[in-house]
Amino acid sequence: MAGNRTTKSMTEGSPVRLIMTFMVPMLLGNLFQQAYNMADGIIVGQLLGANALAAVGSSTSVQFLTLGLCIGSCAGFAIPIAQSFGAGDLPRMRRFVYHAALLSAALAAIMTLLTALLCRQIVTIMQTPKDIFDDAYIYLLIIFLGIPFTILYNMTASLLRAVGNSRAPFLFLALSTFLNVFLDLFCIAVLHLGCAGAALATIASQALSGLFCLIYIAMKVPELKVPKSERSLDAKTAGTLISMGIPMGLQYSITAIGSMVMQSANNSLGSVYVSGFTAGTKLKQLLMCPYDAMATALATFVGQNYGAGKMDRVVRGKNEVLVISITYGALAGLLMIFAGRFMSGWFLSSGDVQALDAAARYLFCEGFLFWLLGPLNVYRNVMQALGFSGRAVLSGAIEMVARSLVALIFVPLFGYAAICWTDQSAWISATTYVFLMGTAVIRKREREIA
């Protein structure tokens, strides 16, 4: 299936060229999103001060837990769609699209209700310092109320990527990002809404991105439109999607639990370390954008080629992306080591010396093993795209356990020094597992197709 202007098959041609071409719009989209996140941090930190930045950053891991479940589930729902598209089975693909939409709507309703009701308790559990508690609560509550918009964008974007279109989601995300920065400045500098204004700008941008993607699908991608005659509930189809989507969402969330334990331990050290950790985390997230884009592109490539029965292309694509991702990680790690303090100054004023020192120290330690995220993301996404979401979830559980143990045992003993090495313990543990398990599941699929 060659595809048309709005879809693209990845089952023919150079794997690395297809993956990199598909990756570029997603990378640019991720960079735009992180640029907004950075602008958000800069605006909050510079206009409202270090305490406000700490309030916004004190719930980062909680957002990753809740939003990660939603985003991961949407990405998982798209895997059977990519496999069906690669196999050329459009009727089956449309059945998956219809059920994915229904499941996403249900997930949005459940997650919004639960998180909004429990928001205050969550902020309390995170040991948020009293001087930033109120700002942290209102910011997180608004983010939770915007979960339906987050799911709308991620589900529609995942549908487009499943059929080989990464360009449209990028364009809509880029457009909303520019508006988001404007809204951030307007809400904070003009309306004086403080941290609440930053949250309102964020969910407004998600809503626009999702709406644009939905309209684009309706007008330009007939393959994804489900006629009324095919809109019937089927337990088997829904079960397939749930078996792929929920484990992938849980993988994101389980990983985030370890981050929550880590962040809670860091919050207990005081707002100075919260500010420094927040600035360092935002920079780390920016540098992780290429990893995320490569992993998503590889998952789509693997899903389509596995659906077409071309495991030789799956292996070749995996190997080529692995080399590229490790090389990138080594270079990015050097940047974190040698330029961490300078980049942290984007978020914190020169007078926040202690917070700047904390951010630079965190990035310095992270940089040495940042390259491990290459094989971790590659093998984990290959497993998911080949239908082994449950085994991929275990890698998230391993990360959770490693982060939690270091945070609970060593932070009370060594303070912030332990925080700076917590991520690395998770990366080493999970990468060892995914390499061994990923190699095994690839061989299993090769034997099945042979």
Side-chain angles (χ1 to χ4, degrees), residues 178-198:
F178 285 116
L179 179 60
N180 207 347
V181 173
F182 168 78
L183 288 174
D184 224 354
L185 288 168
F186 181 72
C187 289
I188 293 175
V190 179
L191 298 182
H192 304 291
L193 295 177
C195 293

Side-chain angles (χ1 to χ4, degrees), residues 263-283:
Q263 187 158 35
S264 178
N266 186 67
N267 287 351
S268 69
L269 300 176
S271 56
V272 168
Y273 288 112
V274 176
S275 300
F277 180 78
T278 299
T281 299
K282 284 184 177 293
L283 289 166

Side-chain angles (χ1 to χ4, degrees), residues 23-109:
M23 183 198 84
V24 169
M26 285 190 299
L27 174 57
L28 293 175
N30 287 345
L31 289 173
F32 268 102
Q33 186 64 47
Q34 289 303 320
Y36 163 69
N37 289 337
M38 290 180 65
D40 180 57
I42 292 168
I43 292 168
V44 170
Q46 298 293 338
L47 296 184
L48 300 178
N51 273 9
L53 180 64
V56 170
S58 64
S59 61
T60 300
S61 59
V62 179
Q63 294 178 56
F64 185 40
L65 171 68
T66 54
L67 301 183
L69 176 62
C70 301
I71 294 168
S73 296
C74 291
F77 292 156
I79 289 174
I81 296 169
Q83 292 173 349
S84 301
F85 181 75
D89 191 347
L90 296 186
R92 182 168 182 263
M93 184 191 77
R94 286 192 291 268
R95 289 197 298 273
F96 281 128
V97 170
Y98 176 66
H99 286 78
L102 295 178
L103 291 170
S104 297
L107 181 64

Side-chain angles (χ1 to χ4, degrees), residues 161-185:
R161 290 167 185 154
V163 296
N165 187 335
S166 59
R167 184 172 178 269
F170 154 66
L171 292 176
F172 300 139
L173 183 61
L175 179 63
S176 68
T177 297
F178 285 116
L179 179 60
N180 207 347
V181 173
F182 168 78
L183 288 174
D184 224 354
L185 288 168

Side-chain angles (χ1 to χ4, degrees), residues 230-267:
E230 297 183 24
R231 297 177 190 175
S232 58
L233 295 176
D234 176 62
K236 184 178 180 181
T237 301
T240 300
L241 286 169
I242 291 171
S243 68
M244 296 296 293
I246 299 305
M248 196 161 174
L250 287 175
Q251 175 210 300
Y252 280 64
S253 294
I254 290 172
T255 302
I257 292 173
S259 297
M260 285 179 63
V261 175
M262 172 184 173
Q263 187 158 35
S264 178
N266 186 67
N267 287 351

Side-chain angles (χ1 to χ4, degrees), residues 94 108 134 153 293 295 302 324 369 422:
R94 286 192 291 268
D134 290 340
Y153 171 72
V302 170
I324 294 171
L369 293 178
T422 300

